[in-house]
Amino acid sequence: MLIFVQRLGRLVFVFFVVTFVTFFLLDQAPGDPAERFAGLNATPEVVEGIRANLGLNGSLLERYTRWLGNAVRFDFGDSIVTRGFSSWDLIRESLPKTLELMVLAEIMAIGMAVPLALASARRPGGFIDKAASSTAFGLLALPAFVLGIYMSFVFGVKLGWFPTIVDNLPGLNDDPLNNLRQMFLPSLTLALNLVAVYLRLLRSDLIETLQEDYVMLAQARGLSERRIMWRHVLRPSSLNFTTAVGLNIAGLIGGAFIIEVLFAINGMGRLVIQSVILEDFNVVAAVVAILTVAYVMMNFLVDVLYSILDPRIRHGAR
């Protein structure tokens, strides 16, 4: 229990460091958000009043402490550019699309990588193993945006199976089939790079686990190969795979932002890019805070899953 408290404490420390550094860098950026919010013809008195309303008065530490206290209540301040909307309003509108893209990509990646890795490990050097390894090597060499361009051209422009512009995405509850059809191509594009990483990692661990004595004993008892692979080999081989899935969240966020711009999805990626260009720093700080929380919590969950998958880690921490 103590080890988890210590890890959680380190993650909280990381959150404070990342948000403070972000706050500091945004504070050093040229321009005055209050002047931008007030407009070109605003008087100094009006600008000063807006600065007070936006919480821009006081030292950097005072403003960060005030911002942090409000952020705990999901109050990230008003958008400087989009009048009448708070930063949280804009994030709440964009976040579900980004989450859906990431979740679908992870489901696709795991759904393709695990069966391929099991088939490859059962017959190392066989046809499936060689084909899967060659495909994974090729996918690793292609950046997500290049792969997305090819996918859009082939399946969107030439074949017309899927839309290449997803700027009018219906809600998943309103029209699930149309929603999934529009999100399929962006999700698959994001998933293919993950498939290559997961496949190579899991395949190596599966082959190593197959050499363990208890696996050979299960084979000697006459258990079916499928049962041995799924019940006795996959779980102890999943430690590195679980770590890769958890830690890939950071890369998945960056990849999702690129895919959103490529397919014109109104998600967090487009929101961040537009906010940076328009100097809407309240929105940028809010997005960084939310992504940092997501990242550190995913790291913590990976630690918890470690102890569940391998009790030796839990016992060794006592």
Side-chain angles (χ1 to χ4, degrees), residues 10-167:
R10 288 198 294 266
L11 296 179
V12 172
F13 174 74
V14 169
F15 170 78
F16 284 127
V17 170
V18 171
T19 53
F20 181 78
V21 170
T22 302
F23 201 84
F24 172 77
L25 293 176
L26 292 176
D27 184 70
Q28 300 303 309
D32 187 348
E35 292 181 357
R36 183 178 184 84
F37 191 88
L40 296 176
N41 299 321
T43 63
E45 292 77 12
V46 172
V47 173
E48 188 61 31
I50 292 175
R51 184 176 289 109
N53 291 333
L54 293 177
L56 300 177
N57 293 329
S59 66
L60 175 66
L61 186 58
E62 290 174 346
R63 284 184 280 120
Y64 173 72
T65 304
R66 186 164 54 243
W67 175 86
L68 190 62
N70 293 331
V72 173
R73 304 190 300 269
F74 291 92
D75 180 8
F76 299 100
D78 293 331
S79 170
I80 300 173
V81 176
T82 309
R83 304 294 179 89
F85 289 88
S86 67
S87 301
W88 177 241
D89 290 334
L90 299 178
I91 293 173
R92 188 170 52 188
E93 182 180 349
S94 304
L95 184 59
K97 299 170 185 176
T98 300
L99 288 177
E100 181 183 355
L101 175 62
M102 294 170 59
V103 169
L104 289 176
E106 279 289 0
I107 292 174
M108 289 181 179
I110 295 173
M112 289 185 284
V114 172
L116 284 174
L118 288 169
S120 299
R122 288 171 64 184
R123 301 287 187 273
F127 173 76
I128 295 179
D129 185 30
K130 290 180 178 179
S133 298
S134 300
T135 303
F137 182 79
L139 290 175
L140 286 174
L142 283 175
F145 71 91
V146 175
L147 189 61
I149 293 173
Y150 281 120
M151 299 277 284
S152 297
F153 179 74
V154 174
F155 296 104
V157 178
K158 285 295 185 180
L159 298 177
W161 291 354
F162 303 100
T164 58
I165 303 297
V166 193
D167 58 348

Side-chain angles (χ1 to χ4, degrees), residues 171-285:
L172 190 58
N173 295 328
D174 300 330
D175 192 352
L177 291 180
N178 189 22
N179 176 283
L180 293 175
R181 178 177 176 272
Q182 293 194 47
M183 290 294 285
F184 180 83
L185 200 56
S187 302
L188 181 61
T189 302
L190 187 60
L192 288 178
N193 285 119
L194 296 177
V195 171
V197 176
Y198 296 163
L199 172 60
R200 291 166 63 89
L201 183 63
L202 187 57
R203 172 191 174 277
S204 300
D205 289 343
L206 287 170
I207 292 176
E208 183 177 346
T209 304
L210 282 170
Q211 309 305 317
E212 296 289 341
D213 293 338
Y214 70 88
V215 176
M216 296 181 181
L217 179 61
Q219 293 171 339
R221 291 173 56 192
L223 297 179
S224 66
E225 191 174 21
R226 180 183 297 273
R227 183 177 181 182
I228 291 173
M229 293 296 294
W230 283 97
R231 298 192 60 180
H232 299 281
V233 178
L234 181 59
R235 178 173 174 176
S237 302
S238 300
L239 289 176
N240 292 329
F241 175 71
T242 302
T243 305
V245 172
L247 298 182
N248 259 317
I249 291 298
L252 193 62
I253 291 172
F257 284 8
I258 296 173
I259 298 301
E260 285 177 2
V261 174
L262 185 62
F263 288 91
I265 302 174
N266 293 317
M268 296 280 281
R270 292 187 68 183
L271 177 63
V272 169
I273 292 174
Q274 292 174 358
S275 299
V276 170
I277 294 174
L278 299 175
E279 300 179 359
D280 198 346
F281 295 147
N282 280 349
V283 176
V284 176

